[in-house]
Amino acid sequence: MSDRYDRAITVFSPDGHLFQVEYAQEAVKKGSTAVGVRGQDIVVLGVEKKSVAKLQEERTVRKICLLDDHVCMAFAGLTADARILINRARVECQSHKLTVEDPVTVEYITRHMAQLKQRYTQSNGRRPFGLSTLVMGFDYDGTPRLYQTDPAGTYHSWKANAIGRSAKSVREFLEEHYSEEVSASEHETVKLAVKALLEVVQSGAKNIEMAVMKRGEPLKMFELEEIEKFVAEIEKEKEEEAEKKKQKKAGKET
Amino acid sequence: MLCVGEAGDTVQFAEYIQKNMQLYKIRNGYELSPKAAANFTRKNLADFLRSRTPYMVNMLLAGHDDQDGPSLFYMDYLASLQQVPYAAHGYGSFFTMSVIDRLYKPGLSKDEAQSILQKCLDEVQRRFIINLPMFQVRIIDKDGVHQLPNLRPKPAV
C-alpha cells in the first residue's frame, strides 16, 4: 500500500509522511560525518575525510566550502547535490551584497538554502536535495552563528551539532562535553570538535579535515600537522585519565 | 575600474562587475587576472549593447598581475577593448592625450607618472571651458589599490 505513496514526493502517505523526504534523510545518514562547534570568538567545522582509492589523486575533496568571506559550510550526503546548493548560495551572497550593500547574515543565507530545499519537496518531478548542511560564520555585528539544515527544508541554530554517519552518538558526546568555559576558550572549542570527530573516525588525524573562522578573519583550513598536534594532546589527556583511574582503583584495593 | 558616462548606469554596471568578480574568487579560490577581468567586462558590455537595456559607460580598467605586471585597459560604451600604456576619456582627453603622447616613455617610475598626471590636469585647467578644481587619484601596484591625496591642478593664469 505504501509504495503507491513513495513515488510522488508531493503526495502525503496515509499516516502523514513524505516518504521521499525521509529517504533523503536516510541518504544523509550514509554520508561522512561533519561536526560544528560554536565558541564565543571562534567557530569550528570538522569533517571526516573518506580515504581515497590508491590510484586516485589526493587532491582534497573539499567538504568544507566557503560561501562568502565570512560564512562557510560543511555538508553530509550527496556531494553532487551539494555542488548545486553551494553554487546557488554563493550567487545569493553576492546578489544580496549588490542590492543591499551589506554582507549576508548567516541566518539569511541558511534560510535561503532551506527555502530552496523546501521548494524541491513541493515541486512536481523533482526530488529533494539529499544533504544536510552545517552553516557557520560571523554576522556583521560580530556574533558567531552555527545553523543546520536538513533535506526537509527546516533549519535551526545550534551551539554544537553533528550530521552524517553516527551523528546521534557524536551529538550525545557534544552534549556531554560542551560547556560555557569550553566555548570561551578558542583552543578548547577546536579540541572539542576534534575529540567529537575522533569518536567516529578511527584512523586519526589523516582522515580529519578541520577549518576555523575567527571574528574578522578569513577561513583557515588546518594543515595535517596542526590536526595531529590536537590529536596528540587529546591522546595524552586520555592516557592521564586512564592512569588516574588505575591509581584510584589501586588505592582503593590496598 | 574607472567608470564614466550615464548617471545611474556607471554605478549599476560597475557594481555588477565587481560582485561577479568576487563570486569568481569565492567559487574558484583565486582572483581573475586583470586581462580576464577586462575581457569579462567587455563581454557583458557587448551583450547589453544589443539588448533593450544598453549601458552607456566608458571605462578604464587598471590592474596588477604577478605574471603580466601592471596593465591598463581602455573600454568604451560600444564595448571596444584595448590594452594601452595610457588613456583618457571625455572632452578633457582631447587635451590630455597630446600631453601624455609627448611625455610618455615605457618604464616610468611612480613619481614620473604622477608628474605627468599633474601636467595633464594643469593642461585641462588651462584649456577646458569647465572648471574642474579637484581630482581623486588612486594607484594600483602589486600590493593592491591605494588612495593618493587629492590633486589640485595649478590655477590657470
Side-chain angles (χ1 to χ4, degrees), chain A residues 183-225:
Chain A
S183 71
S185 146
E186 291 179 5
H187 188 82
E188 291 297 312
T189 313
V190 183
K191 208 160 70 165
L192 177 62
V194 180
K195 253 200 279 189
L197 257 186
L198 283 175
E199 293 280 305
V200 281
V201 178
Q202 257 61 25
S203 26
K206 61 177 165 48
N207 277 26
I208 292 180
E209 202 173 289
M210 296 234 88
V212 297
M213 195 183 278
K214 293 194 202 157
R215 189 175 293 118
E217 288 179 29
L219 181 75
K220 178 170 176 314
M221 303 280 313
F222 275 4
E223 300 286 324
L224 185 59
E225 299 90 45

Side-chain angles (χ1 to χ4, degrees), chain A residues 6-253:
Chain A
D6 281 358
R7 253 160 240 145
I9 49 156
T10 52
V11 181
F12 278 105
S13 71
D15 54 347
H17 289 197
L18 281 172
F19 275 120
Q20 281 295 310
V21 174
E22 300 194 357
Y23 296 162
Q25 280 161 348
E26 288 298 313
V28 170
K29 288 195 199 142
K30 292 212 162 59
S32 46
T33 321
V35 156
V37 184
R38 183 185 88 198
Q40 272 174 22
D41 309 299
I42 191 173
V43 279
V44 188
L45 277 180
V47 292
E48 173 196 358
K49 239 190 331 191
K50 285 240 171 79
S51 37
V52 293
K54 250 208 274 185
L55 292 175
Q56 194 177 16
E57 286 257 348
E58 236 269 75
R59 183 175 155 277
T60 24
V61 176
R62 282 271 140 87
K63 277 194 43 153
I64 302 178
C65 317
L66 201 59
L67 294 182
D68 201 353
D69 299 318
H70 61 296
V71 190
C72 73
M73 65 167 257
F75 61 90
L78 273 61
T79 317
D81 285 3
R83 261 208 317 268
I84 303 291
L85 204 61
I86 292 167
N87 197 33
R88 300 280 278 267
R90 282 174 173 162
V91 173
E92 177 61 24
C93 282
Q94 297 306 320
S95 188
H96 185 272
K97 261 202 275 199
L98 185 58
T99 43
V100 179
E101 281 272 327
D102 274 337
V104 293
T105 59
V106 186
E107 199 254 338
Y108 176 91
I109 196 65
T110 311
R111 192 170 3 120
H112 182 261
M113 282 203 288
Q115 277 170 346
L116 181 63
K117 283 181 170 182
Q118 192 280 340
R119 213 173 298 144
Y120 275 61
T121 69
Q122 224 177 359
S123 303
N124 228 338
R126 292 200 265 203
R127 62 162 178 80
F129 284 96
L131 70 149
S132 286
T133 68
L134 284 174
V135 186
M136 70 151 192
F138 284 89
D139 281 344
Y140 196 67
D141 61 358
T143 331
R145 304 263 185 214
L146 174 68
Y147 282 91
Q148 183 224 3
T149 66
D150 66 4
T154 56
Y155 69 98
H156 302 279
S157 174
W158 289 77
K159 290 185 188 154
N161 198 5
I163 52 176
R165 206 164 56 85
S166 326
K168 196 145 168 280
S169 49
V170 179
R171 202 174 305 131
E172 281 165 6
F173 180 88
L174 286 171
E175 279 178 15
E176 256 183 61
H177 291 84
Y178 184 88
S179 71
E180 287 306 312
E181 40 173 79
V182 166
S183 71
S185 146
E186 291 179 5
H187 188 82
E188 291 297 312
T189 313
V190 183
K191 208 160 70 165
L192 177 62
V194 180
K195 253 200 279 189
L197 257 186
L198 283 175
E199 293 280 305
V200 281
V201 178
Q202 257 61 25
S203 26
K206 61 177 165 48
N207 277 26
I208 292 180
E209 202 173 289
M210 296 234 88
V212 297
M213 195 183 278
K214 293 194 202 157
R215 189 175 293 118
E217 288 179 29
L219 181 75
K220 178 170 176 314
M221 303 280 313
F222 275 4
E223 300 286 324
L224 185 59
E225 299 90 45
E226 296 174 294
I227 306 178
E228 280 177 345
K229 256 198 285 185
F230 275 102
V231 172
E233 202 183 309
I234 292 168
E235 307 257 295
K236 212 172 73 176
E237 277 181 4
K238 272 206 206 145
E239 283 176 17
E240 287 172 359
E241 277 280 326
E243 270 296 316
K244 257 196 269 176
K245 277 211 193 122
K246 244 202 290 183
Q247 283 182 0
K248 242 209 246 166
K249 227 172 139 194
K252 264 206 207 142
E253 281 178 7

Side-chain angles (χ1 to χ4, degrees), chain B residues 2 12 24 30 51 68-69 74 77 81 86 98 111 116-117 135 137-138 145:
Chain B
L2 185 156
Q12 287 290 88
Y24 184 95
Y30 55 87
S51 73
D68 304 318
Y74 172 100
Y77 70 100
L81 172 69
Y86 54 90
S98 31
D111 293 323
I116 294 185
L117 185 64
F135 285 79
V137 186
R138 291 227 173 98
V145 183

